[in-house]
Amino acid sequence: VFRHKWKIALISGAGIVAAAVLPFVRPIPYQSEAKLYIKYVQETKSPGQLAANDSGIKTIDVGESAINTELEILTSQDLAQQVADSFGPEKILAKAGGGTNRLQAAGLIKKNLLAEMPKRGNVIRIVFQHPNSEVVQPVLNRIVQTYKQNHTEIHGDIGALDDFLKKETDQLLSRLKKTEDELRNAKAKVGVIS
């Protein structure tokens, strides 16, 4: 060790200098993270087309391809172009080379967007990286908003299904109450107490 002390000192000094200079030569991009919970996916049938025993909602299982479909929607070039158009290509490309080309901005968004499929569960982790700290979080928010719009367009409006299910539930509850009243009256006629 004492014989090679100058080599050790020289290599250690070079490592410290390299560690100090590296962030200026190659800056670390800022990143923002979001998580999407995929609760259920509606079938493309309208509520009037549903069979009596078909609710029109699929519960997501880990083995199903529904999460993969959602990942494809999330990482599609179309979604990246919609985000670039709504946010502004010049803002996205400002610290990444500059320009106003919407396709370059969409390419940068798609390149820096990471969407991970969960091993178990229905939560998709989304990470967006960009050299500009002021762009990272607003672009990620826009990605999530645009994803939700595209999801609704592809799978249908869940609100219409919720209204349909509420009406069906109310009808079934009224039928149940009517049946319980009839049963109570029938018991009273026969004289059954318990």
Side-chain angles (χ1 to χ4, degrees):
V1 174
F2 292 110
R3 192 180 330 171
H4 300 286
K5 64 183 172 190
W6 294 111
K7 288 180 187 177
I8 294 171
L10 185 65
I11 291 172
S12 298
I16 291 172
V17 169
V21 171
L22 188 62
F24 297 108
V25 174
R26 186 175 173 178
I28 299 171
Y30 296 95
Q31 76 177 25
S32 184
E33 179 179 337
K35 293 186 180 183
L36 282 175
Y37 175 60
I38 310 298
K39 187 174 181 180
Y40 53 81
V41 176
Q42 179 182 348
E43 286 287 327
T44 56
K45 299 177 187 176
S46 66
Q49 294 175 333
L50 297 175
N53 58 354
D54 186 11
S55 69
I57 295 177
K58 282 189 200 176
T59 305
I60 306 286
D61 288 333
V62 175
E64 291 187 29
S65 64
I67 294 281
N68 287 331
T69 303
E70 300 307 309
L71 283 172
E72 288 297 321
I73 294 170
L74 191 58
T75 59
S76 69
Q77 182 71 22
D78 183 43
L79 185 131
Q81 285 180 353
Q82 289 174 353
V83 171
D85 289 342
S86 67
F87 194 76
E90 60 280 348
K91 293 178 187 175
I92 295 169
L93 295 173
K95 285 198 176 179
T100 59
N101 187 339
R102 66 185 282 263
L103 295 177
Q104 282 182 329
L108 182 69
I109 290 171
K110 187 170 178 171
K111 176 184 164 191
N112 293 329
L113 180 68
L114 171 68
E116 295 178 331
M117 185 172 131
K119 292 181 182 176
R120 291 187 178 263
N122 303 335
V123 177
I124 297 175
R125 179 177 174 257
I126 308 166
V127 177
F128 179 68
Q129 297 180 340
H130 195 274
N132 188 350
S133 64
E134 297 174 3
V135 170
V136 177
Q137 194 168 12
V139 168
L140 184 62
N141 287 336
R142 193 72 52 95
I143 288 169
V144 171
Q145 290 170 357
T146 308
Y147 160 77
K148 287 179 180 179
Q149 291 169 354
N150 289 355
H151 175 85
T152 302
E153 290 173 8
I154 291 171
H155 297 296
D157 186 16
I158 298 297
L161 183 64
D162 287 343
D163 292 341
F164 173 74
L165 291 175
K166 186 176 183 328
K167 288 178 186 176
E168 284 293 314
T169 303
D170 291 343
Q171 288 176 359
L172 291 173
L173 283 174
S174 66
R175 280 194 224 160
L176 178 63
K177 185 177 178 189
K178 181 180 174 185
T179 304
E180 286 176 347
D181 289 341
E182 290 173 0
L183 180 62
R184 200 174 301 117
N185 290 338
K187 282 183 179 179
K189 284 183 184 178
V190 177
V192 176
I193 298 173
S194 61

